Amino acid sequence: MAANVNPVDIKPDLKKAVNGFGSFKVALATVLTVKIVLELATFFEYPPVVIEELSNAAASAGLLMIRYMEERGQIEPTSIMTLLCALKKMCLSGIEMSARKLYEEHTGRLCSSDDHSKAQLEGKKNDLIKYAKTAYRKHYETAKPFPSMNKCKVNTIFVQGGIYCSALEGDFMQKPDVLESYNDILSSSKTKSKRTLIEADPGFGKSTLASQFVYDWCTNNPESPLKDVEILIFLQLRQLTGVQSIYTAIKNSIVPKDEDMDEACIKEILKVYKKSVVMLFDSYDEYPDKNETETDIFSIIEMKMFLDILVIILTRTLILPPNLHPETKRIRLTGFGVAERRNYVLKAVADDVQLADRIEEQLQRNPFLRDLCQVPLFSTMVAHIAHERPEIEIFSTVTRFFTYVIACVHNHMKIKKDANTEVPAFENELAKLYRIAFDGLTRKNQQLAWENTYLVSELGQEFYDNYIKLGMFAQEVVFDISQCRYKTEARIWHKIICELYASHHLVSILSEGASSAAPSINVQETLNSINPLDLQYVYRFACGLNKSAADIIIKHLQETKEGRQFAILCVLEQEENSDQFRQSVKDLVSRDVEIFFYHAKLLQRSTIQVLEVASANQVIINLCIDTLNTPEQVLKLKKFTHLGLLYLIFVTHLCYTHCLDLYYNSLLQLTVQLFSFLLIWVLIFLLIVDRQ
């Protein structure tokens, strides 16, 4: 590791030889035998191909080793402490003394003592902390919960939603433990582990939670467990395209361009101070290299590296890293309830109790939108729109809601401009953006950000500037390791918005395919490229935008077990009074329908809604109850048409409070139905008795 050496470190009688680092390297090479070279290479964890090259180098092994050590910063003109420490730990004291003596004789510099070395390392650690806090500040001070909002600090908008914890057990999850605070993720005995996976559906605030953790560490929040952590390594995995080494990732993400802290120095810092390091990996689901498992990121997640360091990974629920270590604790974000929605309005929108009351009253009149607002992203959208508009429109589909949101964002820009100035429609440019979004999402290594020069060349400067002002594009500077340069990239404000844009292009593909002479191959290839576990909203929006596309998509999803639950959501993006809708419902309930305790309220309500339609049309429903003594309480519905009993079964067997509040009214309906049923039979019985 490099050390900064002052002039006083130079021996007075050797100052004239200060420039002799080259001759030192030649002299050192004669001391390093092939055996010592191979031991050093193994100690420094050189790749097998390099070790093999060294073993075949014979007499030139010493010089070759010198070259590799210099490339890695393990020997430098100003310090050879990394080499000396390695020799000491390898119990090669004789070689250590020889290397020290040769260095002092040839360069005229004194080798630092161990105490001096520790002081230098402490200084480097403090530098890394300073660099990290400077880099992270740009992140937590640019939170933007709604496109048209100004950037703000994350602590001014962060509201904690529901959180529960469960340990891995095979392929199942144990009954969850509710966590009272997001700080419990780091400090509770329930979550004690060196690997923690935080999962949630899209829009549930994973990245916002990560930003809050970063803010707590940077500001030394006294209530946060991170106040006792010296080093927080925060990496947005979506920015690490092609980066194999964790040390390279840290250097490119944190260390300023004009600083000389190298990967070897970062490695030494993490090794020495590992007991007080926490790593935070955001957006695993957007990690471009998640199909390339030979990276340090995967080694860390799987506990093949940094066994003593707490590592937190955030990802979408259905996009989990493979080979999770059994010690991994899984944390699930369950979203907003009434209290959280109200807290957000008062904290982030306006300190206005009447506004909070008005929003909640309107949500109670619109059950679909109320359930949609379990998703924090959607709840924040509703809150900001309601702040500007007296009434919230009634929505029955997610597609209609998001189309309305986009219209509100564009309308906000019109209001900000001169009333007589028209905002261009950009129809051609939007079609290109739809294609760019679709191509990026369906690539093997997903692309969610594009170099700004590329977007300008495709969409035009005027469109690009407008979307930056709208807040629909967000710019960031990232390091491109393939070209060894920093570049400015732009990404669409949120991945769900990116999926909305992509769905428009999907509709155009399916429409063209349906009208062509040989559409089946191209359509099937297109649909196979869209993973419903990751891109469910592409399917849902496309179904809401176009009925013909919906028919093709729903049939495609029903062919796979993974796609069936998303088919339910896609069906409900259509108009309920159509024959196509009723046929889709009939096809869905002809197979087993499942409701899991951890499903979002919207999916639970959607499933029940499909069953209600089926029952109303006298469709046989696949209904059975099957808990199988598994940790997951599952409701399977098999061959039953009495909807009232369905509600009773649901409430009885899905005994989790965050699910039950949807169905209290249904239980009341059941009571009325049963009473009516009994009354009819009593009347029939009395009539029979009377006739006899």
Side-chain angles (χ1 to χ4, degrees):
M1 179 181 51
N4 295 325
V5 182
N6 298 320
V8 295
D9 294 321
I10 303 175
K11 288 184 176 181
D13 56 332
L14 290 175
K15 285 185 179 179
K16 61 183 179 181
V18 165
N19 295 322
F21 184 65
S23 62
F24 158 72
K25 291 189 291 183
V26 174
L28 179 62
T30 62
V31 176
L32 300 179
T33 64
V34 174
K35 180 175 181 295
I36 293 171
V37 163
L38 294 178
E39 289 178 1
L40 271 172
T42 303
F43 180 87
F44 286 137
E45 299 178 352
Y46 284 6
V49 65
V50 173
I51 294 176
E52 184 179 358
E53 182 185 5
L54 290 167
S55 66
N56 296 330
S60 61
L63 285 172
L64 187 59
M65 185 65 187
I66 295 292
R67 193 190 84 193
Y68 279 125
M69 287 193 293
E70 188 172 14
E71 287 176 353
R72 288 164 170 75
Q74 291 155 347
I75 59 170
E76 295 180 331
T78 56
S79 175
I80 60 167
M81 283 307 300
T82 300
L83 172 62
L84 296 179
C85 290
L87 294 170
K88 184 176 182 179
K89 291 178 181 178
M90 295 164 61
C91 299
L92 297 173
S93 56
I95 303 298
E96 178 197 354
M97 291 178 62
S98 297
R100 185 187 298 270
K101 183 178 179 181
L102 288 171
Y103 179 78
E104 292 179 349
E105 288 178 350
H106 284 267
T107 67
R109 296 180 182 274
L110 288 171
C111 289
S112 305
S113 65
D114 286 348
D115 289 340
H116 189 192
S117 177
K118 289 178 182 177
Q120 289 178 327
L121 187 61
E122 181 78 14
K124 290 290 185 181
K125 178 204 71 175
N126 292 334
D127 287 343
L128 182 62
I129 293 171
K130 179 180 68 176
Y131 301 154
K133 290 188 174 182
T134 301
Y136 301 162
R137 184 176 178 180
K138 292 183 294 184
H139 180 77
Y140 69 73
E141 287 190 346
T142 56
K144 206 170 186 183
F146 194 69
S148 58
M149 277 187 65
N150 294 325
K151 295 175 181 177
C152 58
K153 290 185 179 180
V154 69
N155 66 303
T156 63
I157 61 160
F158 176 74
V159 172
Q160 175 186 299
I163 307 172
Y164 67 70
C165 164
S166 182
L168 287 178
E169 186 180 279
D171 292 332
F172 297 103
M173 292 173 62
Q174 298 173 347
K175 184 176 178 180
D177 290 312
V178 176
L179 301 183
E180 298 299 326
S181 165
Y182 74 98
N183 286 325
D184 290 344
I185 296 173
L186 302 171
S187 60
S188 173
S189 59
K190 301 173 185 177
T191 61
K192 189 174 182 181
S193 173
K194 290 299 182 184
R195 294 296 181 272
T196 298
L197 184 78
I198 301 177
E199 56 182 289
D201 289 332
F204 271 71
K206 300 179 294 294
S207 294
T208 304
L209 175 61
S211 296
Q212 183 63 36
F213 279 139
V214 170
Y215 174 82
D216 288 344
W217 179 74
C218 289
T219 58
N220 298 313
N221 184 348
E223 296 180 0
S224 171
L226 290 170
K227 68 181 184 300
D228 300 319
V229 172
E230 285 194 275
I231 303 172
L232 177 69
I233 301 298
F234 170 62
L235 296 174
Q236 294 174 285
L237 298 189
R238 59 181 169 78
Q239 297 180 345
L240 302 186
T241 303
V243 180
Q244 299 283 319
S245 166
I246 185 65
Y247 310 109
T248 302
I250 294 169
K251 175 176 168 51
N252 294 339
S253 301
I254 295 174
V255 180
K257 290 186 285 186
D258 57 346
E259 297 292 342
D260 61 358
M261 182 177 288
D262 58 17
E263 287 90 339
C265 181
I266 294 169
K267 181 177 181 179
E268 188 70 14
I269 292 170
L270 296 182
K271 184 176 181 180
V272 172
Y273 296 98
K274 60 187 177 183
K275 297 294 185 183
S276 191
V277 175
V278 170
M279 290 187 169
L280 187 60
F281 295 163
D282 187 24
S283 60
Y284 169 82
D285 54 289
E286 299 179 15
Y287 181 33
D289 294 344
K290 58 177 174 284
N291 296 318
E292 312 293 336
T293 55
E294 299 299 319
T295 66
D296 283 356
I297 294 296
F298 279 103
S299 296
I300 294 167
I301 291 173
E302 296 170 14
M303 286 192 77
K304 295 177 181 177
M305 286 179 69
F306 300 141
L307 273 63
D308 297 318
I309 293 177
L310 170 60
V311 180
I312 303 170
I313 309 104
L314 297 99
T315 186
R316 287 191 178 191
T317 301
L318 298 174
I319 309 295
L320 305 181
N323 306 319
L324 287 173
H325 193 275
E327 186 184 324
T328 304
K329 292 285 180 141
R330 289 173 68 172
I331 308 295
R332 188 173 177 86
L333 308 182
T334 59
F336 280 3
V338 175
E340 290 81 13
R341 290 197 296 265
R342 186 178 183 85
N343 288 343
Y344 180 83
V345 172
L346 296 176
K347 181 177 183 179
V349 182
D351 187 11
D352 186 343
V353 174
Q354 290 183 343
L355 174 63
D357 291 340
R358 175 168 63 84
I359 291 174
E360 199 56 43
E361 287 171 5
Q362 293 184 34
L363 290 179
Q364 294 304 320
R365 295 198 300 268
N366 187 350
F368 173 84
L369 191 57
R370 184 186 65 210
D371 291 344
L372 197 65
C373 286
Q374 182 200 8
V375 182
L377 174 68
F378 303 162
S379 184
T380 60
M381 288 177 169
V382 168
H384 288 285
I385 290 172
H387 186 222
E388 296 182 355
R389 296 170 181 244
E391 286 291 328
I392 305 173
E393 287 195 19
I394 301 297
F395 302 102
S396 58
T397 69
V398 177
T399 307
R400 283 188 60 198
F401 172 71
F402 266 86
T403 302
Y404 176 74
V405 168
I406 298 297
C408 288
V409 172
H410 283 81
N411 187 60
H412 184 82
M413 174 59 74
K414 290 180 181 179
I415 293 172
K416 289 175 69 175
K417 289 192 172 189
D418 187 341
N420 297 319
T421 303
E422 284 293 324
V423 177
F426 294 122
E427 290 182 5
N428 293 332
E429 291 79 1
L430 278 172
K432 293 179 182 178
L433 179 59
Y434 299 157
R435 173 187 54 79
I436 291 170
F438 182 85
D439 291 345
L441 287 172
T442 55
R443 288 178 53 174
K444 180 183 177 182
N445 291 337
Q446 222 171 62
Q447 183 177 9
L448 296 171
W450 299 266
E451 192 162 0
N452 60 341
T453 53
Y454 167 75
L455 290 178
V456 168
S457 67
E458 289 289 312
L459 306 173
Q461 189 70 54
E462 185 181 8
F463 180 93
Y464 183 85
D465 291 342
N466 266 278
Y467 262 55
I468 289 290
K469 292 175 183 176
L470 278 171
M472 300 305 290
F473 283 166
Q475 288 190 147
E476 57 189 1
V477 177
V478 299
F479 186 80
D480 185 342
I481 194 167
S482 64
Q483 300 182 29
C484 294
R485 67 182 180 92
Y486 286 89
K487 63 182 182 181
T488 300
E489 287 187 341
R491 57 187 174 83
I492 296 168
W493 171 68
H494 195 280
K495 190 176 179 181
I496 293 180
I497 302 295
C498 188
E499 291 182 56
L500 174 62
Y501 291 158
S503 70
H504 283 272
H505 188 67
L506 175 60
V507 166
S508 67
I509 292 174
L510 297 181
S511 299
E512 290 174 8
S515 61
S516 65
S520 57
I521 296 178
N522 291 335
V523 167
Q524 197 59 42
E525 286 179 357
T526 299
L527 294 176
N528 288 338
S529 70
I530 307 171
N531 178 8
L533 300 180
D534 183 32
L535 301 173
Q536 58 163 298
Y537 282 100
V538 174
Y539 283 123
R540 292 170 69 176
F541 290 139
C543 289
L545 291 169
N546 185 278
K547 291 181 180 180
S548 299
D551 189 41
I552 297 170
I553 288 169
I554 292 167
K555 287 180 180 177
H556 169 74
L557 291 174
Q558 287 176 323
E559 293 174 358
T560 63
K561 183 178 179 181
E562 296 81 4
R564 286 174 197 161
Q565 65 169 297
F566 303 112
I568 291 173
L569 296 170
C570 289
V571 164
L572 294 174
E573 292 298 312
Q574 304 175 79
E575 294 296 329
E576 292 189 22
N577 57 359
S578 66
D579 292 336
Q580 182 184 14
F581 173 78
R582 285 188 284 272
Q583 183 58 46
S584 297
V585 168
K586 185 176 180 179
D587 293 342
L588 276 174
V589 300
S590 65
R591 305 179 184 183
D592 287 354
V593 181
E594 300 177 348
I595 302 176
F596 291 80
F597 77 89
Y598 53 80
H599 280 169
K601 288 181 181 178
L602 185 60
L603 177 55
Q604 293 169 1
R605 176 177 287 281
S606 299
T607 306
I608 293 297
Q609 192 173 341
V610 165
L611 296 171
E612 287 175 340
V613 173
S615 179
N617 288 275
Q618 298 298 303
V619 176
I620 297 297
I621 302 171
N622 280 352
L623 174 74
C624 72
I625 308 165
D626 186 8
T627 57
L628 299 177
N629 296 317
T630 66
E632 292 174 316
Q633 301 238 12
V634 181
L635 175 69
K636 291 187 179 179
L637 308 168
K638 195 164 190 174
K639 292 184 180 177
F640 212 92
T641 57
H642 196 299
L643 194 58
L645 186 56
L646 170 63
Y647 285 126
L648 178 62
I649 291 170
F650 186 85
V651 174
T652 302
H653 287 268
L654 223 64
C655 51
Y656 291 90
T657 55
H658 71 278
C659 301
L660 294 182
D661 59 346
L662 292 176
Y663 303 103
Y664 289 142
N665 290 335
S666 301
L667 190 57
L668 179 60
Q669 293 175 17
L670 169 63
T671 305
V672 173
Q673 287 181 6
L674 288 177
F675 179 78
S676 302
F677 179 77
L678 291 172
L679 182 60
I680 290 170
W681 275 105
V682 167
L683 292 173
I684 292 172
F685 175 77
L686 292 174
L687 182 61
I688 292 172
V689 170
D690 183 59
R691 287 188 176 182
Q692 291 178 349

